[in-house]
Amino acid sequence: MIIDVHGHYTTAPKALEAWRNRQIAGIEDPVSRPRVADLKISDDEIRETIETNQLKQMKARGSDLTIFSPRASFMAHHIGDFQVSSTWAAICNELCFRVSQLFPDHFIPAAMLPQSPGVAPETCIPELEKCVAQYGAVAINLNPDPSGGHWTAPPLTDRSWYPIYERMVAHDIPAMIHVSTSCNACFHTTGAHYINADTTAFMQLIQGDLFKDFATLRFVIPHGGGAAPYHWGRYRGLAQELKKPLLRDHLLGNVFFDTCVYHQPGIDLLTTVVPAENILFASEMIGAVRGVDPETGHNYDDTKRYIEASARLTPAQRRQIYEGNARRVYPRLDVALKKRGK
Amino acid sequence: MIIDVHGHYTTAPKALEAWRNRQIAGIEDPVSRPRVADLKISDDEIRETIETNQLKQMKARGSDLTIFSPRASFMAHHIGDFQVSSTWAAICNELCFRVSQLFPDHFIPAAMLPQSPGVAPETCIPELEKCVAQYGAVAINLNPDPSGGHWTAPPLTDRSWYPIYERMVAHDIPAMIHVSTSCNACFHTTGAHYINADTTAFMQLIQGDLFKDFATLRFVIPHGGGAAPYHWGRYRGLAQELKKPLLRDHLLGNVFFDTCVYHQPGIDLLTTVVPAENILFASEMIGAVRGVDPETGHNYDDTKRYIEASARLTPAQRRQIYEGNARRVYPRLDVALKKRGK
C-alpha cells in the first residue's frame, strides 16, 4: 500500500473560491458578507474535481491513499479575524471530509486550523476537536506564521502553542508544519515562503527542548524538510554549539520529513542523510509544481519515481517510506485502515 | 591556488565590539556617542587575531587567499539610522582593508554597505566607491533584508536597488547576497535567517528578469545557495510555470553558489545539480559552525575536504571551483593577483 501524506484540495469547485472572495469583501462591508448556507457544492461536483484530478493521477502513478487537507495557499490565515478564519476553516474542512466520504479508500482528512495573527492558538481547539471526532481527521496542519510572511507569531517552542500540542498528544495526531500564502512581496509563496518555513521550524525545534515537554508529540516537516537535509552538517554543528544532543536523539524521535522534493538528486540526498524511518512518502500533487520535467518526461511531482529509482533504499525501507512510517506517525490512520481490513 | 570567496572578520579585537556597543547606546543618548577616533586598534592586534585564527586555519587546511569582509552578523543594518550604519560600515571596511594590507598574499577585501531599513540603497554608493577605489575591494556584500528578519525592503529585482547594480556593473564587481543578524525571534540567525535569505533571493531572481537589464551583473548566493540546489527540480518547475527560460539560461550566467555546505552529501548534491562553472570554493571560516564533526573528526566548515572527496568532480572542475571561477566572477581579484605575478 502506498500512502501519500501530503495532498491538498487544490481543485475544489470554483464556487468555493467565489464564496471566499465574497467573505473577504464582507470584511470591509458586512452587508455583503455571505452566509455559510450560500455555498452550495454538490457531491457530483466534488466527485468530478477529484476523479479527473487527484484520483486520476494517483491511479496513474500507483499511490493508494492520500492524507487530504484544505488547499494550503488558500488557508490565508492573515485575512480577517478569528471569526473569518473560523468560518473558512469549517467550510474547507467539511469539504475534505466529504471527499473522504465519497472516496473512503483513497482519501482521509487532515484538518486546517482557524488560526489568525495575534490570536491565541488555543482558540483553534474546538475546530480541531470537531475534525477529529466528527470527520475522522488523522492530523492537523499547523501554520507557524499566520501573518503570511511577516513572522509575527512566536516560535513553535513558545508556550502559547502548548494547548494545541496537548490536544495533539491526547488524540495521538501529528501536525504537518505548513504555512499558507505569502503576502510579503519578498517571498514567493511556494518557492520561498514554504521552503523557508520548513527550514525555520526545524531550526526552532533545534533551539528548543519541546520534546522534553511532549515526548510523543510529532511534527511532519513538508517539502523534504526545507533546506534542513541539504545543510544537515550545519544543523548537526549548530545543535552541537547550542549544547543540544545529537540531532538523532534531540529531534528524530518526533520530527519527520516528507518526500516533496522534485528531482532525483534531492531525494537521493534526503535518503542519504535522514534515516528511512523518518521519511514519509508524499507528492503534494496537485500542487505548486504541475509541469512535466523536460529532463525526465515525467511530472516533477511524481515523487514515487524518485523513491523507486533510489539506489540507496532497500525494499524494506521503501515499504517503510510508503506505508509503515505513515501508520506509525499517524496512528489514527492505521486504526482506520485496520477497521477496513487493510 | 585555492581562493576562499567567503570569509568574515569574525575575530576582530574586542575593542571593535566595545565601540559598537557605545555607538548603539549613543543612539538613545547622543552625549555618550563615541567618536570614530576613540576606536584604537593597532596593527599588532590585527596581526594577532588573524595569525592565530583565520590564517592559521587557512595554512592548516591548504587555502591560499580569502575574500574578506566585515563580520556579517555584526553588520546589523537594522540598528540606528543611515548615519549609524554609515559610520559603522566605514570602520569595519577599514579594518578589513588593514587586514589585506598586513597580509596581502592571504586576504583581499569585500565591502559591507551602510544599508539602513527604509533608506534608499543608492545612499550606499559613496562607501562602495571608496572601498573599490581606496581599499581595492573586489566585491560587496548586499543585504536583501536590512530590517534583520522582518523583510520590509522590496525584492532584489526592484528598481530601487538599480543604482547599486549600476555601480557594480561599472566596476565589474559581484555582490554576495548576505543578510545580517536576525532580530526576529522566529529566525535563528545562522540556522534559519541566512539560509532563508539565500533561498528567497534565488526565488526573487527566478521571478524577475533582472539580468535582461544588467547582462553582466553577478551575484554569489552563499551557503551553497540556501535550499535552492536541494530543491532544484522545484525551481526548474517553478521557472517553467512562470514562463521563464530554463534556469541555466535564465540565471546561471549571472548567479553563483559558494561551497559553504558542511557535510559531504550536501556538497555531492551541489556538484551534481549545479554546473561546476557556477560553484565557488568557500568555507565562511571562522563562522557559524566552529565545531568538529564527530562523524569525521574534522571541522564542519573544512569544506575543502568535501570538494577533495567528491567522486563527481574532475581535477579540472576542482581547479575551476578553487580558482578559475573566482578569477572570472571577481575580475578585480584576477587583476590584483596578476599584478603580483600570480
Side-chain angles (χ1 to χ4, degrees):
Chain A
M1 178 172 206
I2 297 184
I3 300 165
D4 185 331
V5 303
H6 189 177
H8 303 293
Y9 197 6
T10 49
T11 58
K14 288 289 174 208
L16 181 70
E17 187 174 357
W19 188 94
R20 174 65 161 171
N21 287 338
R22 288 179 57 206
Q23 188 197 34
I24 294 168
I27 294 168
E28 298 298 319
D29 174 20
V31 178
S32 69
R33 196 174 299 174
R35 293 168 309 153
V36 173
D38 294 344
L39 176 62
K40 294 187 203 313
I41 294 177
S42 69
D43 284 354
D44 279 349
E45 286 174 286
I46 292 177
R47 263 193 213 98
E48 203 260 334
T49 61
I50 294 290
E51 279 172 352
T52 60
N53 290 298
Q54 286 86 353
L55 191 56
K56 183 178 161 194
Q57 292 294 343
M58 286 164 66
K59 286 180 175 168
R61 299 179 186 184
S63 72
D64 301 293
L65 178 77
T66 297
I67 299 178
F68 206 55
S69 59
R71 186 171 190 170
S73 64
F74 272 30
M75 296 192 298
H77 293 120
H78 64 280
I79 294 175
D81 56 12
F82 173 74
Q83 198 49 56
V84 168
S85 274
S86 194
T87 307
W88 178 235
I91 285 174
C92 293
N93 285 327
E94 193 198 12
L95 274 180
C96 286
F97 168 61
R98 289 175 65 193
V99 170
S100 75
Q101 294 294 99
L102 292 168
F103 302 96
D105 289 336
H106 299 297
F107 296 93
I108 195 159
M112 71 174 271
L113 299 179
Q115 297 178 250
S116 194
V119 178
E122 66 187 342
T123 56
C124 298
I125 290 176
E127 182 69 20
L128 182 158
E129 296 290 346
K130 181 189 74 183
C131 290
V132 171
Q134 295 177 31
Y135 296 165
V138 299
I140 57 170
N141 290 342
L142 186 65
N143 183 348
D145 172 30
S147 76
H150 296 291
W151 292 91
T152 53
L156 291 170
T157 48
D158 187 83
R159 287 188 168 265
S160 59
W161 298 100
Y162 277 27
I164 301 279
Y165 302 156
E166 285 161 9
R167 301 318 300 155
M168 288 169 58
V169 167
H171 291 302
D172 209 8
I173 56 173
M176 180 172 278
I177 307 300
H178 207 308
V179 288
S180 184
T181 203
S182 161
C183 55
N184 183 327
C186 286
F187 303 130
H188 184 275
T189 294
T190 55
H193 191 42
Y194 280 18
I195 304 297
N196 290 350
D198 305 334
T199 309
T200 299
F202 186 71
M203 190 63 212
Q204 290 176 356
L205 298 175
I206 289 180
Q207 287 179 269
D209 291 295
L210 186 58
F211 305 115
K212 282 191 180 163
D213 286 346
F214 297 99
T216 62
L217 186 67
R218 295 180 304 283
F219 290 134
V220 178
I221 305 191
H223 322 110
Y230 176 47
H231 287 285
W232 204 244
R234 171 175 286 256
Y235 292 107
R236 289 196 290 109
L238 287 171
Q240 203 167 309
E241 307 244 334
L242 293 167
K243 314 286 186 214
K244 300 294 181 185
L246 294 177
L247 284 191
R248 183 180 287 262
D249 303 320
H250 187 40
L251 298 184
L252 293 189
N254 307 81
V255 176
F256 304 85
F257 302 102
D258 81 8
T259 64
C260 294
V261 177
Y262 296 153
H263 63 149
Q264 189 69 48
I267 290 291
D268 290 345
L269 175 92
L270 175 66
T271 54
T272 298
V273 301
V274 174
E277 55 265 35
N278 289 81
I279 302 174
L280 300 167
F281 175 69
S283 67
E284 204 171 6
M285 176 274 295
I286 295 169
V289 181
R290 304 181 182 198
V292 169
D293 185 345
E295 293 183 8
T296 65
H298 299 288
N299 284 92
Y300 288 102
D301 65 4
D302 188 356
T303 53
K304 180 161 164 272
R305 290 183 177 273
Y306 313 132
I307 306 289
E308 291 295 315
S310 162
R312 205 180 164 81
L313 295 171
T314 65
Q317 289 176 323
R318 271 194 202 88
R319 283 195 300 275
Q320 276 188 295
I321 291 171
Y322 284 144
E323 177 180 355
N325 295 339
R327 287 182 183 261
R328 197 176 80 248
V329 174
Y330 298 74
R332 286 177 172 264
L333 167 65
D334 187 50
V335 168
L337 288 172
K338 283 181 176 150
K339 268 190 192 157
R340 296 177 208 153
K342 288 184 182 172
Chain B
M1 176 172 209
I2 296 184
I3 300 165
D4 185 330
V5 303
H6 189 177
H8 303 292
Y9 197 5
T10 50
T11 58
K14 289 290 173 208
L16 182 69
E17 187 173 356
W19 189 94
R20 173 66 160 170
N21 288 338
R22 287 179 59 205
Q23 187 197 34
I24 294 168
I27 295 167
E28 297 299 319
D29 174 21
V31 179
S32 67
R33 196 173 298 173
R35 293 169 308 157
V36 173
D38 293 344
L39 177 62
K40 294 187 203 313
I41 293 176
S42 70
D43 284 355
D44 280 348
E45 285 175 285
I46 293 177
R47 261 192 215 100
E48 203 260 333
T49 61
I50 294 290
E51 279 172 352
T52 60
N53 290 298
Q54 286 87 351
L55 191 56
K56 183 178 160 194
Q57 293 294 343
M58 287 164 66
K59 287 181 174 167
R61 299 178 186 186
S63 74
D64 300 295
L65 177 78
T66 297
I67 299 178
F68 206 55
S69 59
R71 186 173 190 169
S73 64
F74 273 30
M75 296 192 298
H77 293 120
H78 64 281
I79 294 174
D81 57 12
F82 173 75
Q83 198 48 57
V84 168
S85 274
S86 194
T87 307
W88 178 235
I91 285 174
C92 293
N93 285 327
E94 193 198 12
L95 274 179
C96 287
F97 168 62
R98 289 175 64 193
V99 170
S100 75
Q101 294 294 99
L102 292 168
F103 302 96
D105 288 336
H106 299 296
F107 296 93
I108 195 157
M112 71 174 270
L113 299 180
Q115 296 177 251
S116 193
V119 177
E122 67 187 339
T123 56
C124 297
I125 290 175
E127 182 69 22
L128 181 158
E129 296 290 346
K130 181 189 76 186
C131 289
V132 171
Q134 296 177 29
Y135 297 165
V138 298
I140 57 170
N141 290 342
L142 186 65
N143 184 348
D145 172 30
S147 75
H150 297 290
W151 292 92
T152 54
L156 290 170
T157 48
D158 187 84
R159 289 189 168 265
S160 59
W161 297 101
Y162 277 26
I164 301 279
Y165 303 155
E166 285 161 9
R167 300 319 299 154
M168 286 169 58
V169 167
H171 292 302
D172 209 7
I173 56 173
M176 179 172 280
I177 306 299
H178 206 307
V179 288
S180 184
T181 203
S182 161
C183 55
N184 182 327
C186 286
F187 303 131
H188 183 276
T189 294
T190 55
H193 190 42
Y194 280 19
I195 304 297
N196 291 350
D198 305 334
T199 308
T200 299
F202 186 69
M203 189 64 213
Q204 289 175 358
L205 297 174
I206 290 180
Q207 287 179 269
D209 291 295
L210 187 58
F211 305 116
K212 282 189 182 164
D213 286 347
F214 297 100
T216 63
L217 186 66
R218 295 180 304 283
F219 290 135
V220 178
I221 305 191
H223 322 109
Y230 176 46
H231 287 284
W232 204 243
R234 170 176 287 256
Y235 292 106
R236 288 196 290 110
L238 287 170
Q240 204 167 308
E241 308 244 334
L242 293 167
K243 314 284 185 216
K244 301 296 181 184
L246 293 176
L247 284 191
R248 184 180 286 263
D249 303 320
H250 187 40
L251 298 184
L252 293 189
N254 307 82
V255 176
F256 304 85
F257 301 104
D258 81 8
T259 64
C260 294
V261 178
Y262 296 153
H263 63 148
Q264 189 70 49
I267 290 291
D268 291 344
L269 175 93
L270 175 67
T271 53
T272 299
V273 301
V274 174
E277 55 266 34
N278 289 80
I279 301 174
L280 300 167
F281 175 69
S283 67
E284 203 172 5
M285 177 274 295
I286 294 168
V289 181
R290 303 181 183 197
V292 170
D293 185 344
E295 293 183 8
T296 65
H298 300 289
N299 285 89
Y300 287 101
D301 65 4
D302 187 356
T303 52
K304 180 160 163 273
R305 288 182 178 274
Y306 313 131
I307 306 289
E308 290 295 315
S310 163
R312 205 178 165 82
L313 295 171
T314 65
Q317 289 175 323
R318 270 194 201 90
R319 284 195 299 274
Q320 276 187 295
I321 291 171
Y322 284 144
E323 177 180 358
N325 295 340
R327 286 182 183 261
R328 196 177 83 249
V329 175
Y330 298 75
R332 285 178 173 263
L333 167 66
D334 187 50
V335 168
L337 287 172
K338 283 180 176 151
K339 268 191 193 154
R340 295 178 210 152
K342 288 183 182 175

